[in-house]
């Protein structure tokens, strides 16, 4: 299986302002890397990262708008593990998050030619109340640890 690809929603306004900087201090990816307990350079050596939207959208991500873009990515992401940051990202990939447990890897039900595995984790933000539950946070951290062993 190819490199794991983490997929976020959109660049923050900070990232858009800095044009090209991917890692916002305190942002979702920064929080995820901290949960993994590795330096950010190690993260980018082992994993790939993209956002559903390449541009900051002040009104938030519109998953339906970006579905054609995600379909066009299929050849590039075939044979990988794809980790979606929250239900909006999953929705952009045409995944009904309610049909799957958090941190569960599954074949995409609508992409027969994909040959990869998807997983949805809650949006990694310190304000996300799911991460305030130690058992839940532990489940996400175990999933991230497993991905580290595969890289």
């Amino acid at each position: 299986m190819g490199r794991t690809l983490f997929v976020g929603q959109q660049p923050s306004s900070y990232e858009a302002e800095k044009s090209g900087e991917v890692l916002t201090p305190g942002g979702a990816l920064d929080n995820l890397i901290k949960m993994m307990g590795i330096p950010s350079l190690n993260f980018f050596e082992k994993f790939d990262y993209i956002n559903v939207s390449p541009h900051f959208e002040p009104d938030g991500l519109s998953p339906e708008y970006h579905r054609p873009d995600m379909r066009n990515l299929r050849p590039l992401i075939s044979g990988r593990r794809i980790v979606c940051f929250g239900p909006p990202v999953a929705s952009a990939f045409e995944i009904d998050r309610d049909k799957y447990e958090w941190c569960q890897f599954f074949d995409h039900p609508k992409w027969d030619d994909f040959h990869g595995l998807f997983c949805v984790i809650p949006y990694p933000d310190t304000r996300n109340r799911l991460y305030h539950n130690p058992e839940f946070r532990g489940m996400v951290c175990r999933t991230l640890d497993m991905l580290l062993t595969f890289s």
Side-chain angles (χ1 to χ4, degrees):
M1 190 150 272
R3 285 169 58 112
T4 299
L5 175 66
F6 288 89
V7 185
Q9 293 182 11
Q10 64 181 1
S12 69
S13 58
Y14 171 86
E15 292 163 351
E17 180 183 305
K18 298 293 181 187
S19 99
E21 286 188 32
V22 176
L23 198 57
T24 303
L29 183 58
D30 187 42
N31 290 333
L32 179 96
I33 292 170
K34 287 176 183 171
M35 279 194 289
M36 294 176 103
I38 62 174
S40 58
L41 286 176
N42 288 37
F43 177 86
F44 291 107
E45 288 172 357
K46 296 176 183 289
F47 304 106
D48 292 325
Y49 178 81
I50 62 168
N51 284 309
V52 169
S53 173
H55 309 287
F56 172 67
E57 298 177 21
D59 295 331
L61 180 71
S62 172
E64 295 79 17
Y65 177 81
H66 293 286
R67 282 184 181 164
D69 298 330
M70 297 301 99
R71 284 187 211 117
N72 291 337
L73 284 179
R74 280 191 280 196
L76 300 173
I77 61 179
S78 182
R80 292 182 176 215
R81 288 177 199 87
I82 309 301
V83 180
C84 301
F85 285 12
V89 173
S91 180
F93 280 102
E94 301 175 83
I95 295 168
D96 181 358
R97 216 305 291 151
D98 294 331
K99 292 187 177 185
Y100 303 96
E101 297 293 324
W102 293 110
C103 302
Q104 171 190 356
F105 281 91
F106 56 90
D107 289 322
H108 196 297
K110 296 181 181 178
W111 294 7
D112 293 337
D113 60 341
F114 172 67
H115 309 298
L117 295 173
F118 278 84
C119 173
V120 183
I121 64 170
Y123 188 76
D125 188 319
T126 55
R127 296 169 292 187
N128 187 332
R129 71 181 190 285
L130 293 172
Y131 287 106
H132 294 214
N133 176 330
E135 289 178 26
F136 191 87
R137 184 179 177 89
M139 177 179 65
V140 174
C141 287
R142 285 189 298 279
T143 301
L144 298 174
D145 287 345
M146 177 193 64
L147 291 171
L148 274 169
T149 62
F150 290 146
S151 64

